[in-house]
Structure formats: C-alpha cells, structure tokens
Amino acid sequence: MSKLCCCFPNRNRKTDKKNNSSDFLEGANSRVNVLSTSEINSSKEENPTDIQKEIPAIINIGEINERATKQKWNVSSKFDLLCLDRILSPLKEYTLNVELPPKTLSIENVYGYQGMYARRNLYYPIESPSAQPILYFSGKLAILSYFSLRRQEFYTGHDNPITCMAIHPDGKVAATGEYGNSPSVHIWNIPYIEKDGKENDDIKNPIYILKLDKRFTQTISMSFSRCGTWLLVVALNQSYSSEILCYEWKRGKEVNCVFCHDDKVFNIIVNPFSRKEFVTLGVKYIRFWTIDNVLHPVDNIEKNQNLTVTHISGSYLKSKFFVSGTIKGDIYFWKNGLLSVVCNNIHKGPVTVVAPLQNNNFLTGGRDGKIIYWNEQHQPINEFTMEGSPCIRAIDAGGLEGVLWGWGEGFGRRASKSFRGLNNGFRTRNSVCSNSFLHEITRSNSMLTVSSNTYSVNVNNTTANNIDTLANDEPMDEQKFSDISYIVGCEDSSMYIFSQTDREPIRLTEGSCCSSDGDELWGLDTHPLNSNIFVTCGDDGYVKVYNLERKELMKKKNYGIRLRSICYSPSGINMAVGTNDGSFFIINENLDIIISAIIDRRATIYDLAYSPNGKYLAVASHDNYIDIYEVESDLGYYQRFMSCRGHSSYVTHIDWDINSSMIRSNSANNELFYWSLITDANKSIDPTSYRKVDWHSSKCILQWETKGIFGSKQVKNTTTHEDIEHFLSPCTVNCCDRVKINNDLQLLAVGDAFGNIYIYRFPAFSNDMQYQAFHAHGGPVANVKFAVNLKTLISIGATDGLVIQWNLDNVE
C-alpha cells in the first residue's frame, strides 16, 4: 500500500487509553429480624462503591474533557479552520448549493431505556381504548410508547439529558427534570391517541418550564403532591448538598425552598393518604416531611435521625406502612414516621426499587437482579431472577404508588382539569390487574421461602448456541398489553412486562448497556441489501440485530469481549467485528458461526471496511496502522497481505473508493491520508490521483466534502425556541454518513460529541452551508448510518446506549 499524501500535521493528539399492625411483620420467617435503633447503629459499614453507583450522574463538558484523557474520544474545541484550505478539491466539478436541506428528520422509534443512575422513571398511568401507554425517558427524550401499536410519541423540549420524572395524580400531566447549570423542569401534557391513530400535538407544547437558580446543577427526583397542587423537586447544588423546592405549578411559581441534606438525596415520595406529607431518602438519611405554609420535617422522626444507613428506595403500602430499601439490601418498615421492623439481607446489595401492588402486596428489586414478592402479611415468599441478573432500576404496577387505585380518595383529583386536551371525555380507570400471575405461582409454591425459590426467567426467547432470538414473527398480542401486572426496567437498557396471560415476561425494548464502569456503544452498520436490518455492538460484548419495520430486537449474542466496531460484507452474509484488544473476528449473519478470528494488533480496532467488490477488508487500529486483508470467499480464509504505515496517531475512520483500489483515512490528531492499492514499488504514483476518485462511502469526518461542517454551529430547540451554540472540529465530530436520494439531492448526516445530529446537503464544502440540527442523545453521538431504503437514519449514543431510528421526511 502506497501513501499518496498527508494533508494535516499533528494536532490535538489524543492520549492512549393485610394488616396495619406490626404483629404480622413480627410473624415473618427467620430472615426477618426486629432491631432497635442502637443495634442498627452498630451494624456493618456501607460500601462506598455501592453508594457511588446509586448517585445520579452529574455530567458537564469539564467532566467529558477529563474522561477524554482516559477514553478513546476527545471533545477539544481547538482547531485551526485555516488548515481546511489545504485539502484540495476533486477534479470532478460540483455545483455549490448552500440552501437549507429539506426538513428531513423525525424520530420514529427509540430502542432502549435509561437504566443507568435512574429511579422511578417508568410509568403507565392511563389506559386508552386503543393501547396502553408506557412512559419513561432516555437521553434528552421523554418517551410515551404504545407498544401494541408499535408507535412512540416524544417530548423533545430538553436541551440536557433528563434525570427524573413525575406523573400528576390525574395521570394526564408529566414533569421531567434535567441536569446542567440552572437546570429546568418541564411540565407537559401526556397525549391521548384516538383509535384512528390521529396525532395529538399537546406533547409538543409544554404547559410550563420552571427554571431553577444558578446554584443548582441537577434535578435528582421529583413528585407531585397527593392533591396535585404542588410539584416537589429535589435538586443538587454546587456544594453537593440537596435542597427541596416546592412549586405551585399551575401558576409556575416557586413557593418554598429549604435545605434538605448535606449529601445526596435519591428519592422523594409523597404519601398517597395525605395531602401534605412526603418522604425523602438519601445517603445515611431518611426524613418525613409535611407541607404547610413552609416545608418542615415531622417532629417524631427526629428520634431516628442518628441512623447511619443509606436509604435508596421506598414506597407507601395500602396498610399505610412506609417501606424503604437500603444500600445493604435490608428492608425497613415505618409506621407514622417511626421505625417498626427491619428485615435484614433481603437482597445481596442495594435495594434499588420498592413497588406497591393494589392488594397490599409489594415488590422489591435490587442490584442483584432479583425481584422479590411480598405477601399481604409483609413476608417475602417468592423471588424472580431476570435473565443475566441485571440491576432492577424501576418497577411500576400502574397505580402511581396507590394514587390511581383510590388510596386516600377523599382528597380528590383536581389539578389538571383546566388544561386543554387533558380530559377529552376520558375517565381514568385502574390500570393494574389482580396480579393473578403472581398468585398462581404463590398457590403452587405455598409455604416456600425466598432462599429456596429462584425462578430464572428466559425473556421471550429461545436459546441455542448462546444466541437469543425472538420466539416467533407474529405481531404482538394486544391482549397481553391489557393484562399487564407490572413493568420492569433494568440497568442493561431492557424493559419487560409481566402479564396475566404469560408465565414468562415479554421484552418490550432493549438498547445497549452503557454503565458507570465505562461501557460504551460505538459499533453500527446497516445491512447492504435488506433495508429492514441493522446491527450494533458495544463494550457489553453483545452483537445485536434489529428490525426496522418491526421496530424490535431480533437476535443477540454475547461474545464475552468488549466490542468497538462492526461492518457487513457487501453480500450481507458475514460481519466483521472489531474488539478493544486488537483482535477482530468474522461471523455469519445469524451470529451462530465464527468463521475466522485474527489477532494481529495489540489495541482497539476503531473501524473496519470491506471493499465494494468484497475482495478486501481494511482494519484500522489504535496501533496507527491500517491492515489490508484479502478475502478468499464469504466462508473462506482471511490473509493479511499489506499494512499501511504513516499515521502519527491511531486511525479512526476509513473509506474505500468505488473501484476498490484506494483508501482514505482519518486519525485522532486530524490527519487525512490517501492510500493506493499498489504492490509494485517501482511503479510511479501520481500524488494527486486521489482527486480523480469517486468514493464509495463517506465515513471520514475530515475530507473535502465535509469542510463546511466545522466551526460554530447553533442547535435550535423547536419547543423552547432557544439556541445553543457549539464549536465543531474534527475532535468534536465523531461520525458522518451520506445518502443519495436522487440525482439532485444527496444528504450528509453528522453526529457530534454534544448529542446533536446535523443534516447538510452533500457535498458540504463551503462555510456558508445551511443545515438542520436535531438533538436527542444524552451524550456523544457515536455513529450514524443511513439504511439502504433511503428513508431511515440510525444513530447510536456512546454513553447513553440509545439506538434511535429517524425517518427521512419530505424527500423523494
């Protein structure tokens, strides 16, 4: 391989690497112990690592820059735009068209669920005649999913990732809070979809946007009061202390703000039997409060303020007990603000969620991946283990923790009736079943204890050769969605429903697992022949195949190694997968055969690309090399026959030309190289021959056709009409891809480190190029790819694990 030219010097080099009394509680099995306060104080110390994992992330650009030193991406904004003039134009003439491209992108579907750091972010508060909506958030999006209709609605008003959510007691208004300096809380209508599928625009227009003071850096948890008059928000200030803000939300007015705790607070939970009472839980902290003219703690809880236990989750039960879960796996029962009973070692590790059921039963979920079922006598009698034992982050049984079931019915529901579009002649009904699924198991396993009953759940899959695939291709049965017992959200970005009609849970959605341990999602490719198929891979070790038409995960397999890049062969029969340890392997499209595994490098494989004729595979690594392999056949041998050496930093992107004879490449320090597939060392090379080439792909972010994407760019929030400015350089642009719609229109999609996607006309070689900008991801956009149907764009988030399916509108 001969190097033709180097267009850029080294710049911004990236660094490597049923009873209300306690009598029933006391009658529980031997694992339930009643402790005094002094005994609690002398209990074992908490694990600081566990506490840190439960603290919501505080994300800002400074932190991203700090991570850039340790990770394989950089967000430095320093870049000399004059260097772009050194890229010579191709000899082929292009007509300059700087006009705004057609309004192209709309979100069609989001795969995945915000499982990391999130709690109480999964609800289904209303029940419609056509479908039962499930409400949750991911990235900068609040998502309302009608899974039986395979349809989603989105609230897109946030400029920063959403960190918490609350639903009004009427079940028709939602509030979402975000992080960032002066974070905001958005209150918006939950749309009602008619049977005819008519769209409702209420979700696009917020009722109020409440802006917090500059001293706050993040909203942590929020809840509407039982009467619906107030919105209570827990926010973290710059001193890492927590404060409670009380809003009379219908007037958009803050009525009170008080100091809450000198450390992190995880949850705020209202009392469904009281109009004014609520509870806050945090690091070595629990406190019961009441709302009068001001917020103040309940006096009798002061007797228990010397507790040294971190409380993460909690909920009120129909018996009026308050149940809290701790970082050590214990369950605490409180009556009238006083500690009554402690159940030790229920979970191995933090109890991340406590979810009430309608009949005084309740569920607890933990980091150990278990869901434990508690009976009416408040005894644990059964447990379930989810596939892969992911941390359970949210469980919802449809009653808004008792409010929609009529607990404390005398207080009434009255707050949101004055807003347009909230009632529509629609009366809220109970949306939870009688939990017959759980009772059936309990009857068949009566008198069994938690320690002797573990049910491992294979979620709607058949397993063969460690490959998970959907059981059948039939449409989802809508009856299952009307029989929901409860919904479970997991940290691995998956969501499931338990229904009366199925003994096994049904997987609703799944993205990729991006964790606090640094797991990220970078690999993406679309099938070269089948317009409905695309594939992803990430640090969780999974290769996942999705179906665009059905909007669901089709199959997946865990290869037990951190994966970074993936690409289809031109025939679509095979896939090449690059890892973080310098190896790559070839698998068939069914994921069940590893055709070849090759280890020629020592560090991350950032990009792979088959030549258009399928005879070669180019592999770009962290070792600054591009290795070229000869491909014998789809099921044949891969032989390396040359290496491209010359980059002074690791290679990030590679493109082939249409004749499979040339390559262009980008490196981490903003180099653009061109290479010619010539093996004869005596043959002369025209150093400008790359100007005559037509390129098969446009993955390289630094090229003549993308010169106009760099510089200061504005992203307009179509909901709040605010503009946010970003500076784009080759270090803040992670990916790009082009599509040819027709002879007159080609489009270029660009993803940046701030979670934004830009659409330009292609080629975008002028600084005067106009663009459309869209925001949805809660972190860097790792990759973008157009499907071969020319109607769909797929984007993935590096740190949020989101996989978003965008529809190209107004293009023919």
Side-chain angles (χ1 to χ4, degrees):
M1 177 71 74
S2 299
K3 178 177 65 175
L4 292 182
C5 85
C6 170
C7 289
F8 287 88
N10 294 354
R11 292 181 182 272
N12 303 330
R13 181 184 292 267
K14 299 180 184 178
T15 308
D16 290 349
K17 299 268 129 167
K18 197 169 263 189
N19 203 295
N20 296 343
S21 69
S22 61
D23 295 339
F24 284 90
L25 294 169
E26 296 171 359
N29 60 40
S30 59
R31 295 180 61 191
V32 179
N33 302 319
V34 181
L35 301 182
S36 65
T37 302
S38 60
E39 290 173 320
I40 296 171
N41 292 335
S42 61
S43 61
K44 61 184 178 180
E45 292 294 325
E46 296 172 351
N47 186 345
T49 303
D50 287 339
I51 297 176
Q52 188 64 35
K53 286 183 178 180
E54 296 304 321
I55 296 175
I58 305 169
I59 307 172
N60 52 47
I61 296 302
E63 181 178 295
I64 293 177
N65 276 309
E66 184 177 349
R67 281 191 70 193
T69 305
K70 303 176 182 179
Q71 301 295 325
K72 305 296 191 296
W73 46 272
N74 197 326
V75 294
S76 173
S77 62
K78 298 178 181 179
F79 179 70
D80 188 358
L81 296 179
L82 295 177
C83 294
L84 297 173
D85 294 335
R86 299 174 58 185
I87 306 179
L88 300 179
S89 65
L91 297 180
K92 178 181 178 180
E93 293 186 2
Y94 287 94
T95 301
L96 178 61
N97 188 346
V98 299
E99 294 180 356
L100 193 70
K103 177 68 175 180
T104 53
L105 290 188
S106 62
I107 304 176
E108 187 173 359
N109 193 71
V110 172
Y111 304 84
Y113 157 81
Q114 180 62 49
M116 187 173 62
Y117 299 121
R119 280 170 294 275
R120 299 175 67 232
N121 66 336
L122 183 59
Y123 303 91
Y124 61 110
I126 61 176
E127 186 177 352
S128 71
S130 60
Q132 191 167 19
I134 300 172
L135 189 66
Y136 55 99
F137 61 80
S138 288
K140 300 174 186 176
L141 301 172
I143 306 169
L144 192 63
S145 289
Y146 298 82
F147 284 96
S148 60
L149 300 179
R150 302 187 187 277
R151 174 176 173 178
Q152 295 178 344
E153 296 285 340
F154 307 94
Y155 177 74
T156 59
H158 287 275
D159 293 321
N160 295 308
I162 302 173
T163 56
C164 55
M165 172 182 286
I167 307 298
H168 190 272
D170 277 353
K172 302 171 186 177
V173 169
T176 46
E178 64 182 23
Y179 79 77
N181 294 327
S182 301
S184 59
V185 174
H186 293 224
I187 303 173
W188 43 276
N189 288 312
I190 299 175
Y192 173 70
I193 296 182
E194 303 285 351
K195 285 185 177 181
D196 58 4
K198 182 180 178 181
E199 293 189 7
N200 190 307
D201 292 334
D202 288 338
I203 195 172
K204 302 176 183 178
N205 303 307
I207 300 171
Y208 285 114
I209 297 178
L210 309 175
K211 199 76 172 180
L212 275 64
D213 190 83
K214 291 183 178 180
R215 71 178 185 275
F216 295 110
T217 61
Q218 181 182 357
T219 57
I220 298 176
S221 183
M222 63 174 62
S223 185
F224 286 94
S225 63
R226 171 64 183 86
C227 63
T229 302
W230 298 292
L231 175 63
L232 301 164
V233 180
V234 176
L236 198 68
N237 59 31
Q238 294 177 352
S239 301
Y240 293 92
S241 299
S242 302
E243 301 182 40
I244 304 177
L245 298 93
C246 181
Y247 290 92
E248 193 174 344
W249 68 272
K250 286 181 63 177
R251 298 170 57 189
K253 176 184 177 182
E254 179 186 327
V255 295
N256 203 358
C257 179
V258 298
F259 175 80
C260 178
H261 185 42
D262 58 3
D263 209 325
K264 310 298 187 302
V265 170
F266 300 129
N267 260 314
I268 182 169
I269 300 166
V270 299
N271 187 341
F273 302 97
S274 171
R275 185 182 177 208
K276 300 181 179 181
E277 295 179 2
F278 63 94
V279 187
T280 52
L281 309 167
V283 176
K284 299 182 179 180
Y285 166 87
I286 181 172
R287 177 163 285 185
F288 294 73
W289 300 75
T290 185
I291 308 173
D292 291 324
N293 294 326
V294 296
L295 302 174
H296 62 83
V298 178
D299 293 337
N300 58 6
I301 191 57
E302 296 297 337
K303 300 177 182 178
N304 291 317
Q305 281 304 292
N306 59 346
L307 292 176
T308 59
V309 177
T310 295
H311 296 262
I312 297 176
S313 56
S315 182
Y316 278 91
L317 306 180
K318 191 176 183 180
S319 60
K320 297 187 179 181
F321 274 95
F322 180 77
V323 181
S324 63
T326 74
I327 200 81
K328 297 184 295 183
D330 304 333
I331 302 295
Y332 281 52
F333 290 83
W334 307 79
K335 184 69 171 179
N336 298 324
L338 294 175
L339 180 60
S340 177
V341 175
V342 177
C343 303
N344 285 328
N345 303 320
I346 298 300
H347 287 272
K348 294 179 181 179
V351 182
T352 53
V353 59
V354 178
L357 302 177
Q358 189 174 10
N359 52 359
N360 201 34
N361 302 343
F362 68 99
L363 303 168
T364 59
R367 183 167 286 279
D368 54 6
K370 295 180 180 179
I371 300 174
I372 296 180
Y373 176 62
W374 299 68
N375 64 12
E376 295 181 358
Q377 288 73 39
H378 304 156
Q379 298 172 332
I381 60 173
N382 268 303
E383 70 180 36
F384 309 89
T385 301
M386 302 300 293
E387 179 192 13
S389 300
C391 173
I392 309 300
R393 303 304 297 181
I395 303 176
D396 187 64
L400 281 182
E401 298 178 324
V403 174
L404 294 183
W405 294 327
W407 298 1
E409 184 67 28
F411 296 106
R413 310 170 198 166
R414 47 182 150 176
S416 65
K417 296 181 180 179
S418 61
F419 291 96
R420 179 181 62 85
L422 296 182
N423 290 317
N424 293 318
F426 169 72
R427 182 171 60 88
T428 302
R429 298 180 293 161
N430 293 342
S431 57
V432 69
C433 72
S434 61
N435 299 293
S436 61
F437 169 63
L438 293 173
H439 283 302
E440 181 182 351
I441 296 178
T442 303
R443 286 196 303 269
S444 61
N445 298 279
S446 59
M447 304 304 292
L448 295 180
T449 62
V450 175
S451 59
S452 62
N453 286 279
T454 301
Y455 296 86
S456 181
V457 181
N458 180 25
V459 185
N460 202 26
N461 293 329
T462 57
T463 304
N465 298 323
N466 199 31
I467 301 173
D468 297 335
T469 58
L470 290 182
N472 55 67
D473 293 334
E474 295 298 325
M476 290 187 180
D477 185 2
E478 293 189 18
Q479 180 62 30
K480 293 180 180 180
F481 292 91
S482 64
D483 293 336
I484 294 177
S485 289
Y486 56 91
I487 307 175
V488 177
C490 303
E491 192 173 61
D492 65 354
S493 186
S494 59
M495 188 190 305
Y496 308 96
I497 64 171
F498 284 79
S499 72
Q500 299 182 74
T501 56
D502 256 318
R503 290 185 63 90
E504 293 184 350
I506 304 169
R507 181 176 56 208
L508 296 180
T509 186
E510 184 172 349
S512 182
C513 180
C514 291
S515 71
S516 56
D517 298 327
D519 288 346
E520 297 180 353
L521 175 65
W522 285 88
L524 169 69
D525 199 13
T526 54
H527 198 284
L529 303 176
N530 189 333
S531 61
N532 291 325
I533 302 297
F534 71 94
V535 62
T536 66
C537 70
D539 288 342
D540 57 0
Y542 275 99
V543 172
K544 298 182 178 182
V545 181
Y546 296 85
N547 186 290
L548 289 170
E549 183 180 13
R550 296 181 56 184
K551 302 176 183 177
E552 63 187 19
L553 177 67
M554 300 299 296
K555 58 174 72 74
K556 64 177 180 178
K557 183 175 182 179
N558 193 330
Y559 291 91
I561 189 171
R562 298 167 76 93
L563 308 177
R564 176 70 185 215
S565 52
I566 192 168
C567 72
Y568 275 101
S569 65
S571 65
I573 296 176
N574 296 333
M575 290 178 277
V577 185
T579 74
N580 275 17
D581 67 354
S583 64
F584 70 94
F585 54 95
I586 312 300
I587 57 177
N588 67 341
E589 60 181 340
N590 293 325
L591 312 184
D592 56 351
I593 299 175
I594 297 180
I595 298 170
S596 182
I598 301 169
I599 307 176
D600 285 331
R601 295 298 169 192
R602 297 169 297 177
T604 305
I605 304 299
Y606 288 104
D607 198 11
L608 311 100
Y610 281 93
S611 61
N613 61 12
K615 293 182 178 181
Y616 308 106
L617 174 65
V619 180
S621 72
H622 191 79
D623 295 334
N624 304 358
Y625 287 89
I626 302 174
D627 294 316
I628 310 298
Y629 293 83
E630 192 170 14
V631 182
E632 182 181 275
S633 66
D634 285 329
L635 298 177
Y637 188 64
Y638 281 66
Q639 174 65 50
R640 182 173 65 170
F641 72 98
M642 64 174 60
S643 294
C644 308
R645 182 177 61 185
H647 277 294
S648 58
S649 186
Y650 58 89
V651 185
T652 58
H653 303 87
I654 45 182
D655 288 320
W656 283 92
D657 75 322
I658 61 174
N659 296 319
S660 302
S661 61
M662 291 189 67
I663 288 176
R664 65 183 173 191
S665 59
N666 288 167
S667 65
N669 58 347
N670 306 336
E671 294 173 334
L672 171 60
F673 279 20
Y674 295 88
W675 312 84
S676 179
L677 204 67
I678 297 175
T679 57
D680 186 356
N682 298 319
K683 187 175 181 179
S684 62
I685 303 173
D686 178 5
T688 63
S689 60
Y690 69 91
R691 301 179 65 187
K692 307 173 185 177
V693 172
D694 288 329
W695 295 99
H696 175 67
S697 60
S698 292
K699 292 190 295 181
C700 287
I701 59 177
L702 192 58
Q703 50 176 296
W704 180 83
E705 292 90 343
T706 63
K707 290 169 57 176
I709 71 175
F710 301 112
S712 295
K713 306 296 176 182
Q714 287 187 336
V715 180
K716 188 177 186 62
N717 189 315
T718 57
T719 301
T720 63
H721 304 291
E722 296 179 351
D723 287 333
I724 298 180
E725 185 171 340
H726 298 293
F727 185 89
L728 297 191
S729 74
C731 292
T732 56
V733 174
N734 292 325
C735 54
C736 63
D737 192 30
R738 73 154 191 248
V739 63
K740 183 177 181 179
I741 306 298
N742 51 49
N743 292 331
D744 299 324
L745 178 61
Q746 294 188 70
L747 298 177
L748 176 71
V750 178
D752 71 5
F754 311 102
N756 305 310
I757 295 176
Y758 306 84
I759 299 296
Y760 292 84
R761 292 181 182 271
F762 183 87
F765 57 89
S766 169
N767 291 331
D768 298 326
M769 299 295 297
Q770 299 187 53
Y771 56 89
Q772 300 279 358
F774 308 86
H775 66 284
H777 287 281
V781 180
N783 217 328
V784 291
K785 191 72 177 178
F786 286 101
V788 295
N789 61 6
L790 310 182
K791 299 178 181 179
T792 305
L793 175 71
I794 305 298
S795 65
I796 59 174
T799 57
D800 59 15
L802 278 190
V803 180
I804 301 182
Q805 176 178 333
W806 302 78
N807 187 53
L808 274 69
D809 303 322
N810 302 324
V811 292
E812 295 293 336

